[in-house]
């Protein structure tokens, strides 16, 4: 059998906890297949570059048959870092610190993603696809996308899969069913405390969640708020933000993009809105998606009741506010 050409995958913030938790699965063949060689482009800020040498050693020591090479670059040379890459996972960003408002974080990270978008446009492969993980990921994605106008907008994704996974776990636990029984679970809007985990259209064992879980007050109350506040709860419990679960969700996003979505199911990611479901076009917003393994589409036919509409409107309003905060960074 002819060995396919290697796929080049760039990861920013590669020495951080999320990056570190992602690299070995990317190198192992778990994401792109046991017969697809992978060349990893590891990108970090200059003060952290030395740590990449140790990570490179560990990758070598794993002896993954699918790892075809490692390229290490610092963030001062982004065009070199993104040269000919097919997938970009943008993890690196300034984390939110105590006392910092979300608007402060947006303004701090905005210039980072301006330069990133320009470098992706200048150097990445023609088929490049980009998954933004660093928060606030929806607006960071919008900024980077805006500075890479030649990269089609359907190649850009911000991560709401972590919210989907969190929501699926909560529904499984409440119903006493395995998490694999949960399907068609969409996340609408922003990857923030306003995002809406859509239980109305979700299913458990192919039955509507609302027929399996009779406690509708819990669905509208504790379920939604638990998913919305899960990131803060993790920080409070472990003293640091989600890392392994965020890495897992980023890789789930990649797999969902390149793998056909089962019939009757969806996956969640934030994409450039085309006006579907009454959401203003031009925002990067979480929507119910389906992929054929090459192209994705927004799934039609999701029921939007009054409760869902109020929740969606709230998170879209936040996205519009964030966009307005960085309007001077958008060409």
């Amino acid at each position: 059998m002819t060995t396919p050409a290697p796929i080049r995958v760039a990861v920013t913030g590669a020495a951080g906890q999320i990056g570190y938790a992602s690299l070995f699965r990317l190198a192992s063949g778990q994401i792109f297949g046991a017969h697809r060689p992978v060349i990893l482009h590891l990108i970090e800020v200059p003060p952290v570059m030395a740590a990449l040498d140790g990570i490179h050693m560990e990758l070598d020591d794993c002896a993954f048959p699918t790892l075809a090479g490692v390229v290490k670059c610092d963030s001062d040379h982004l065009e070199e870092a993104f040269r000919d890459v097919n997938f970009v996972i943008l993890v690196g960003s300034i984390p939110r610190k105590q006392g910092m408002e979300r608007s402060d974080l947006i303004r701090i990270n905005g210039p980072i993603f301006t330069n990133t978008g320009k470098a992706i446009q200048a150097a990445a492969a023609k088929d490049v696809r980009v998954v933004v993980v660093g928060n606030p990921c929806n607006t960071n994605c919008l900024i980077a996308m805006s500075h890479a106008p030649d990269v089609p907008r359907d190649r850009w994704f911000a991560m709401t899969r972590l919210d989907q996974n969190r929501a699926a776990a909560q529904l499984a636990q409440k119903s006493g069913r395995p998490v694999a029984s949960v399907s068609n679970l969409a996340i609408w809007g922003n990857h923030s405390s306003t995002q809406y985990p859509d239980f109305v259209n979700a299913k458990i064992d192919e039955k509507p969640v609302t027929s399996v879980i009779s406690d509708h007050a819990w669905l509208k109350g504790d379920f939604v708020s638990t998913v919305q506040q899960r990131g803060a709860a993790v920080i409070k419990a472990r003293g640091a933000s989600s890392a392994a679960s965020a890495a897992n969700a980023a890789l789930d996003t990649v797999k969902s993009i390149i793998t056909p979505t089962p019939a009757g199911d969806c996956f969640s990611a934030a994409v450039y809105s085309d006006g579907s479901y009454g959401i203003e076009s031009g925002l990067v917003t979480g929507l119910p998606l389906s992929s054929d393994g090459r192209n994705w589409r927004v799934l039609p036919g999701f029921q939007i009741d009054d409760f869902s509409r109020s929740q969606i409107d709230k998170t879209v309003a936040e996205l519009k506010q964030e966009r307005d905060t960085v309007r001077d960074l958008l060409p």
Side-chain angles (χ1 to χ4, degrees), residues 166 170 173 225-235 242:
R166 288 166 168 168
Q170 293 299 313
Q173 291 169 16
S225 62
T226 295
V227 178
Q228 290 175 335
Q229 300 293 333
R230 189 67 164 185
V234 171
I235 291 173
S242 301

Side-chain angles (χ1 to χ4, degrees), residues 139-319:
T139 298
N140 288 341
C141 184
L142 180 64
I143 293 169
M145 174 195 303
S146 298
H147 289 274
D150 294 339
V151 179
R153 287 173 171 169
D154 64 0
R155 306 280 186 79
W156 297 84
F157 309 84
M159 189 181 75
T160 56
R161 183 56 176 267
L162 180 54
D163 306 306
Q164 179 186 350
N165 290 348
R166 288 166 168 168
Q170 293 299 313
L171 292 176
Q173 291 169 16
K174 182 69 171 180
S175 64
R177 300 294 299 144
V179 72
S181 68
V182 179
S183 62
N184 212 44
L185 176 54
I187 301 295
W188 299 85
N190 203 2
H191 175 59
S192 75
S193 61
T194 68
Q195 52 93 3
Y196 172 51
D198 183 358
F199 61 86
V200 174
N201 294 281
K203 297 178 180 180
I204 298 174
D205 294 321
E206 303 301 321
K207 300 174 184 177
V209 163
T210 50
S211 69
V212 176
I213 297 175
S214 59
D215 188 350
H216 293 182
W218 177 84
L219 288 169
K220 292 182 177 181
D222 287 350
F223 166 67
V224 171
S225 62
T226 295
V227 178
Q228 290 175 335
Q229 300 293 333
R230 189 67 164 185
V234 171
I235 291 173
K236 183 177 180 180
R238 73 183 292 260
S241 59
S242 301
S245 58
N248 178 69
L251 300 183
D252 280 349
T253 303
V254 173
K255 287 193 292 185
S256 292
I257 292 167
I258 64 175
T259 305
T261 307
D265 204 356
C266 72
F267 74 95
S268 293
V271 296
Y272 193 77
S273 172
D274 63 358
S276 296
Y277 292 101
I279 296 173
E280 182 177 320
S281 61
L283 298 170
V284 174
T285 181
L287 288 163
L289 307 178
S290 177
S291 175
D292 63 7
R294 295 180 61 86
N295 301 296
W296 60 267
R297 65 187 180 103
V298 177
L299 283 172
F302 271 56
Q303 176 188 348
I304 308 296
D305 63 9
D306 289 344
F307 178 79
S308 296
R309 176 53 62 189
S310 69
Q311 296 291 308
I312 293 170
D313 287 349
K314 184 186 304 181
T315 192
V316 169
E318 183 182 56
L319 284 172

